Amino acid sequence: MFGSALKQTVRASRLLFSRSISTGVPEGWVPLTVNGFDGAVGNTPLIYLKGISKETGANIYAKAEFMNPGGSVKDRAALFLIKNAEAKGQLRPGGTVVEGTAGNTGIGLAHICRARGYKCVIYMPNTQSQGKIDLLRLLGAEVYPVPAVAFDNPMNYNHQAKRHAESLDNSIWTDQFDNIANRQAHIETTGPEIWQQTEGKVDGFTCSTGTGGSFAGVTRYLKDVSGGRVKCFLADPPGSVLYSYIKSGGTLTERSGSSITEGIGQGRVTNNLAQDISLVDDALTISDEKSIKMLYRLLDEEGLYLGASTALNVVAAFEMAQALGPGSNIVTLLCDGAYRYADRLFSKKWLESKNLLSSIPQHLEKYIVLP
């Protein structure tokens, strides 16, 4: 990664500069001591992805958000959502935090609720992995998996979460999709970290979006600090409307198909995303076939054990690198690891059921270790 403590490193070219310090750590460096779970959120490393960087001629970096203490990028939003409610006097000691979540935000909230003494209640679509549901319950959260229905249906998991919070005293619905404290987390932390880690040399940023907080917050910060120079591409899975919305200038919301990815894609423009959607330079639609192939490739080439949404982000970074050209510095997010999805992603039977087995190159089939 780029590092101000290593400025003595030879900078003969962008590519040499990037590679020569991507694994460097100053002599005698030790991690800082932090205050509890909250203090461990953020300040994640920026990993240079050597395989796809070599293939594109660009420098592709990925922010290791799976290294947050709760295991995902959503720890950042969860912390800001709770601290925002505390600052506004909406949440007092012993209170209850309620959220509708596809999984990782709920996990972050459950961790932080334990650390700060709150109760946690989670509503989620019953399409999510059993691993996420089990983990939430292990963390002490009440979990209500409910049928997955459209947002305009009153039985949508978000609306059920809101009604639950309204029925309790000293309780908040954190409203991760439309509460812009989510976006603010990335304006104040993720964006500045990327800028500092690349010493301002980032040329492009891309990632997928569910709530819109990560993509919008980082995009806003990088656009502002660079004077608009940094390009920002939204990555979208099948079944989401955002690709068509951006490509059409906001006139279309077409969706087709479905995706194996969890927690990303959207049927509407959330309040978090709406704040900055005018800043988006382009959008990429990424197929499940490309995502699953990249997931196995990252494991094989980089030793990175990652989820499908993260693999989609890396495919988007690869395609953005092709668009911006050799020598460009591209950054994306590694949302979470594969630990919560392993029973699916590395199962031959599951891959066959999704018609994805043939997408995995023969030399990578050795990682399909589950029946």
Side-chain angles (χ1 to χ4, degrees):
M1 77 185 94
F2 299 94
S4 58
L6 298 173
K7 287 186 177 178
Q8 70 274 24
T9 305
V10 177
R11 304 183 183 190
S13 70
R14 265 180 158 174
L15 191 57
L16 176 61
F17 172 73
S18 303
R19 286 179 175 171
S20 63
I21 66 173
S22 63
T23 59
V25 177
E27 184 178 356
W29 179 87
V30 293
L32 296 175
T33 298
V34 297
N35 186 14
F37 184 96
D38 300 2
V41 175
N43 291 310
T44 54
L46 196 62
I47 299 175
Y48 177 73
L49 300 179
K50 59 184 184 295
I52 60 173
S53 292
K54 181 178 180 180
E55 184 173 343
T56 60
N59 307 308
I60 301 176
Y61 298 89
K63 198 137 170 59
E65 293 301 291
F66 59 87
M67 294 180 69
N68 279 301
S72 86
V73 65
K74 295 296 188 177
D75 288 359
R76 296 180 187 259
L79 180 59
F80 269 65
L81 290 166
I82 288 179
K83 290 176 72 174
N84 180 63
E86 291 172 340
K88 292 180 176 179
Q90 297 169 341
L91 186 62
R92 303 182 302 280
T96 301
V97 174
V98 187
E99 182 54 274
T101 169
N104 280 332
T105 301
I107 291 166
L109 287 170
H111 275 289
I112 293 165
C113 284
R114 292 276 61 76
R116 297 172 88 91
Y118 300 121
K119 299 173 185 175
C120 184
V121 177
I122 301 297
Y123 282 78
M124 66 193 313
N126 59 8
T127 55
Q128 298 305 298
S129 64
Q130 189 61 41
K132 284 184 180 179
I133 296 170
D134 292 343
L135 178 56
L136 284 164
R137 288 175 172 156
L138 285 167
L139 290 169
E142 291 181 35
V143 184
Y144 298 93
V146 298
V149 295
F151 185 78
D152 58 6
N153 187 315
M155 297 308 291
N156 178 274
Y157 66 101
N158 288 290
H159 304 318
Q160 292 198 54
K162 180 181 180 182
R163 291 194 296 270
H164 189 118
E166 291 171 345
S167 72
L168 303 174
D169 292 328
N170 189 18
S171 176
I172 60 160
W173 171 48
T174 44
D175 189 16
Q176 62 163 328
F177 290 89
D178 294 310
N179 183 341
I180 60 173
N182 176 349
R183 164 181 171 267
Q184 193 65 31
H186 301 282
I187 293 175
E188 293 188 24
T189 68
T190 321
E193 289 170 29
I194 290 170
W195 186 254
Q196 183 178 22
Q197 288 168 317
T198 61
E199 294 183 344
K201 293 180 173 63
V202 56
D203 297 306
F205 172 74
T206 183
C207 75
S208 53
T209 177
T211 66
S214 299
F215 179 76
V218 173
T219 292
R220 168 56 67 183
Y221 181 85
L222 293 180
K223 284 290 188 181
D224 285 352
V225 74
S226 70
R229 177 183 62 80
V230 177
K231 299 296 184 183
C232 297
F233 291 6
L234 185 148
D236 217 24
S240 175
V241 305
L242 298 177
Y243 173 79
S244 66
Y245 185 90
I246 290 169
K247 282 293 194 179
S248 67
T251 61
L252 297 176
T253 53
E254 297 176 346
R255 66 192 307 171
S256 61
S258 60
S259 177
I260 64 168
T261 57
E262 295 187 19
I264 60 172
Q266 191 49 266
R268 65 187 179 96
V269 176
T270 64
N271 195 34
N272 278 291
L273 182 59
Q275 310 295 313
D276 305 297
I277 200 164
S278 63
L279 301 178
V280 181
D281 294 292
D282 204 352
L284 303 167
T285 182
I286 309 297
S287 69
D288 282 350
E289 289 79 8
K290 289 181 179 179
S291 294
I292 198 71
K293 180 180 178 181
M294 182 61 75
L295 185 148
Y296 277 73
R297 183 177 174 183
L298 289 167
L299 178 57
D300 188 64
E301 295 179 7
E302 310 286 349
L304 292 170
Y305 183 59
L306 303 166
S309 301
T310 287
L312 183 149
N313 284 352
V314 178
V315 175
F318 181 91
E319 295 188 3
M320 187 178 204
Q322 291 178 316
L324 297 191
S328 57
N329 295 313
I330 311 299
V331 175
T332 191
L333 304 180
L334 305 181
C335 310
D336 65 2
Y339 305 97
R340 295 161 190 162
Y341 321 98
D343 59 339
R344 302 182 185 187
L345 297 175
F346 301 96
S347 162
K348 183 177 181 179
K349 182 177 180 180
W350 184 84
L351 290 167
E352 287 176 336
S353 73
K354 300 297 181 181
N355 296 315
L356 292 173
L357 187 60
S358 62
S359 299
I360 299 171
Q362 186 174 3
H363 74 284
L364 299 180
E365 291 180 354
K366 60 187 176 182
Y367 298 110
I368 306 173
V369 297
L370 300 177

